[in-house]
Amino acid sequence: MTADVGAQMRKGVVEYCVLGLLAREPMYGWQLADALTESGLIASIGTLYPLLGRLRDNGWVTTFDQPSDSGPVRRYYRLTDAGVAQLALFRTQWQPFALTVSRLVGEETR
């Protein structure tokens, strides 16, 4: 796989992966970045904050600040009702889409 194909695939789903993580629990930026970099979905935390800004602008996430025992106040992100609805819509469309792509690009059996 070329870097361009992988980057395009990640770009298409990373926002929904963030929504999926936030559906489990509110998280602060470093938590999100760790989960996404470990999964190979983003290269660094620097790519995460513009994405979070877009999600906030879309009304899919909101923020709140919470004191931290180990440093400064942390900004947490959580889903809004619109974010929950958007994630639900993605989930209904993802499985059929992924199955179709797998069927079309999968190895031929002989």
Side-chain angles (χ1 to χ4, degrees), residues 81-98:
D81 290 342
V84 170
Q86 190 64 32
L87 179 59
L89 178 62
F90 177 81
R91 286 174 172 161
T92 63
Q93 294 179 12
W94 176 253
Q95 191 65 28
F97 175 79

Side-chain angles (χ1 to χ4, degrees), residues 27-39:
M27 300 174 83
Y28 59 94
W30 280 102
Q31 284 179 297
L32 287 165
D34 284 346
L36 296 168
T37 54
E38 286 175 11
S39 300

